[in-house]
Amino acid sequence: MKKILTLLFVSVLGGIITLSAYKLWIEKDSKFFVATNEAQPTFIPTNKTTSNLLYNADSVDFTQAAENAVHAVVHVKNTTVSQGGPVTLQDLFYGRSQPRTQVGTGSGVIISPDGYIITNNHVINGARQLSITLNDNKIYPAKLIGTDEKTDIALLKIDADDDLPYVTFGDSDQAKVGEWVLAVGNPFNLTSTVTAGIISAKSRDLSGVNAQSFIQTDAAVNPGNSGGALVNINGDLIGINTAITSQTGSYIGYSFAVPSNIARKVVEDIMEFGDVQTGILGVNILNRNSKYAIENGLNEIDGVYVSGIEENSGADKAGLKNGDIIKRIDNIRISKFADLSGYLNTKRPNDVVKVTIQRDGNEKIIPVTLSKYEISSVEYLDMQLKNIPKQAKEKYNIDNGVLVIKNNNYSLYKNLGINEGYVITEINGEKINSVEDINKLQQKYGDNLTKISVINTNGQKESFIFR
């Protein structure tokens, strides 16, 4: 019995010594070894910021912005009347047709508690009757306050008993490429729809004549979204959703919005003046892809190249010259004409802008007072053409057209008598409202002239067809 107890004691003592040794040396070394591997990885380097944006769904919260915008975005119904097809044998014989009612829909954004609503001009164009459906399904008749076809912006007004929810304008000039945005509207009549994306580009022109300056986004926008809100994650309005580019007519990856700074200026002008006040700098900008630009190494400049100065314009009076390179307007960097036109679309005549130019290798800042749009002119077919002042249109009862202020085209002058003082109303069957239409025609037809309609200095209308 004594031997058994002695053997048991020795076994227990040996186990204690073995366990203590493991705890003291082996296990301690193992902990140290594992900790070292965790603290000093030797793999591929990663960017923690990028990983968080890609995989952490909690890094951006859209809920508050969506909540604010949804209640301020409305459904716009536009009722128009068009001529339908022949319905009887007599109608067919006499060429008569019956009027037909058509209904179009889109979106709008409430921008004040008293019921002013901004939308797209193409949403309400030709309307006989307009109605607005709020997010709570209340329906109100709407009054058209004014429109601007150039920017595709329209202003409506409804009268409600109570203050309405609205969104505040943000500063679209401060919006950044890569910034999160929400598109809110009524695609396919699905009310209160919110989609998310990022700003893909700014100052995007879809016309090919540098007449537009859209914000491009990859937030899904479809038919019915037009006139709806593009908001940042704070819920501020930074754009009015306007267009998509698609071969199918539906969203395929990119959509476009009128920047809020342009939209705000347009509605403020409509409310204060009744129409849009356009201020111009008075410079002609060289096309980057022109033969002259390529041959003279001007395609790669940082800025836009001034190729001409409008006489008596703000640029002329301030001392801008041919060959100047405009690099900034105020604090806005200018790298293409759409940057310049987009920013100037937020300004009015007599506003002063600081133009940073490069001349003879040196930079200088020149204050320029913007001129009225009426002084703007363009050269086409060796003629100098100018917008007709609004007062002259009213005085001489002219609906549309551009004024010929100089004609160096011998054929048009000698054979047709078109001279200074004539008003050109149509070219190749297309109505001319302003010199911007001339720019579009240059892009479309070049110098190919098939028909021209004019009003001569006696007020008579004439048309000439070229074979």
Side-chain angles (χ1 to χ4, degrees):
M1 184 66 179
K2 187 175 181 179
K3 288 182 179 180
I4 293 174
L5 290 174
T6 301
L7 182 60
L8 181 61
F9 175 75
V10 171
S11 299
V12 172
L13 182 61
I16 292 173
I17 293 171
T18 302
L19 181 61
S20 298
Y22 175 81
K23 286 286 187 179
L24 185 60
W25 291 294
I26 298 176
E27 185 178 52
K28 183 177 180 180
D29 288 345
S30 296
K31 284 185 177 179
F32 181 75
F33 180 75
V34 172
T36 301
N37 280 346
E38 289 180 351
Q40 299 180 6
T42 56
F43 302 70
I44 303 171
T46 59
N47 185 315
K48 292 185 178 179
T49 303
T50 302
S51 298
N52 287 340
L53 287 175
L54 289 174
Y55 302 114
N56 186 359
D58 296 328
S59 61
V60 180
D61 185 1
F62 300 122
T63 56
Q64 192 58 53
E67 176 71 14
N68 294 340
V70 159
H71 295 294
V73 174
V74 300
H75 189 252
V76 180
K77 185 167 76 171
N78 167 12
T79 303
T80 62
V81 177
S82 64
Q83 292 300 114
V87 293
T88 68
L89 185 60
Q90 284 184 329
D91 290 333
L92 183 62
F93 183 78
Y94 290 108
R96 298 178 306 198
S97 60
Q98 297 296 321
R100 181 177 59 186
T101 299
Q102 292 181 320
V103 177
T105 60
S107 303
V109 185
I110 304 174
I111 56 174
S112 68
D114 57 345
Y116 280 100
I117 296 170
I118 189 171
T119 185
N120 284 140
N121 176 65
H122 75 262
V123 169
I124 54 82
N125 190 35
R128 290 284 186 90
Q129 184 178 353
L130 291 166
S131 66
I132 300 296
T133 304
L134 304 185
N135 191 52
D136 60 6
N137 293 321
K138 292 181 179 178
I139 301 176
Y140 296 91
K143 177 183 178 182
L144 177 62
I145 304 300
T147 67
D148 181 45
E149 185 178 354
K150 175 184 173 184
T151 56
D152 200 11
I153 292 295
L155 183 65
L156 311 178
K157 178 73 165 62
I158 62 174
D159 295 318
D161 296 330
D162 302 315
D163 286 350
L164 297 172
Y166 64 97
V167 293
T168 56
F169 281 99
D171 186 352
S172 55
D173 287 336
Q174 300 303 315
K176 306 295 184 184
V177 173
E179 176 181 337
W180 282 105
V181 288
L182 300 179
V184 187
N186 306 282
F188 306 114
N189 286 325
L190 300 172
T191 59
S192 306
T193 297
V194 180
T195 55
I198 62 169
I199 295 177
S200 305
K202 295 179 65 178
S203 301
R204 185 70 81 195
D205 175 40
L206 303 181
S207 68
V209 294
N210 298 311
Q212 301 165 330
S213 185
F214 287 127
I215 294 174
Q216 179 181 327
T217 173
D218 64 354
V221 169
N222 280 292
N225 268 113
S226 290
L230 186 72
V231 301
N232 59 23
I233 60 173
N234 297 322
D236 300 322
L237 184 68
I238 62 168
I240 300 298
N241 296 317
T242 299
I244 58 176
T245 176
S246 168
Q247 295 178 340
T248 65
S250 297
Y251 172 79
I252 58 170
Y254 295 109
S255 53
F256 303 88
V258 177
S260 61
N261 286 2
I262 294 176
R264 182 179 65 228
K265 187 260 182 184
V266 168
V267 299
E268 287 175 350
D269 280 357
I270 290 173
M271 294 169 69
E272 184 175 352
F273 303 105
D275 58 8
V276 177
Q277 307 292 297
T278 303
I280 68 166
L281 195 61
V283 298
N284 297 322
I285 301 301
L286 182 69
N287 185 346
R288 281 184 182 274
N289 296 316
S290 66
K291 181 180 179 181
Y292 181 86
I294 295 172
E295 290 178 349
N296 290 273
L298 300 174
N299 238 19
E300 306 300 328
I301 62 172
D302 182 17
V304 293
Y305 185 87
V306 177
S307 60
I309 303 291
E310 294 284 351
E311 188 177 356
N312 295 321
S313 67
D316 184 26
K317 295 175 181 178
L320 267 65
K321 299 179 180 180
N322 291 0
D324 286 342
I325 298 173
I326 298 177
K327 302 178 72 67
R328 285 188 301 279
I329 301 285
D330 292 334
N331 294 319
I332 304 300
R333 182 174 177 268
I334 305 298
S335 60
K336 55 184 180 296
F337 185 78
D339 295 330
L340 180 65
S341 62
Y343 184 67
L344 292 177
N345 280 338
T346 68
K347 300 297 180 181
R348 299 181 178 89
N350 298 319
D351 284 351
V352 178
V353 295
K354 295 179 180 179
V355 182
T356 302
I357 65 166
Q358 181 178 307
R359 181 186 295 169
D360 300 326
N362 299 315
E363 283 194 8
K364 61 187 304 184
I365 299 175
I366 300 177
V368 178
T369 301
L370 299 182
S371 308
K372 291 185 177 180
Y373 183 64
E374 283 80 1
I375 76 160
S376 181
S377 64
V378 66
E379 186 174 314
Y380 183 50
L381 298 172
D382 288 332
M383 294 185 292
Q384 197 72 25
L385 308 174
K386 184 177 180 180
N387 287 309
I388 305 173
K390 183 179 179 181
Q391 296 83 351
K393 283 187 177 181
E394 294 173 350
K395 181 178 179 180
Y396 297 106
N397 195 28
I398 298 172
D399 294 328
N400 65 288
V402 291
L403 182 67
V404 179
I405 59 175
K406 185 183 292 185
N407 186 5
N408 294 322
N409 188 315
Y410 181 80
S411 176
L412 293 179
Y413 167 67
K414 185 70 175 178
N415 298 328
L416 306 180
I418 297 175
N419 203 353
E420 295 177 16
Y422 273 59
V423 173
I424 298 176
T425 58
E426 288 187 9
I427 291 178
N428 294 349
E430 299 198 27
K431 186 177 178 181
I432 305 298
N433 292 302
S434 70
V435 294
E436 286 196 354
D437 294 327
I438 298 295
N439 288 327
K440 294 176 184 177
L441 286 173
Q442 283 183 308
Q443 295 284 333
K444 187 173 182 180
Y445 298 110
D447 292 338
N448 183 26
L449 186 62
T450 59
K451 181 181 179 182
I452 187 169
S453 298
V454 301
I455 300 174
N456 63 29
T457 52
N458 295 320
Q460 299 170 326
K461 296 181 179 180
E462 299 177 295
S463 292
F464 304 97
I465 299 175
F466 303 88
R467 298 296 183 183

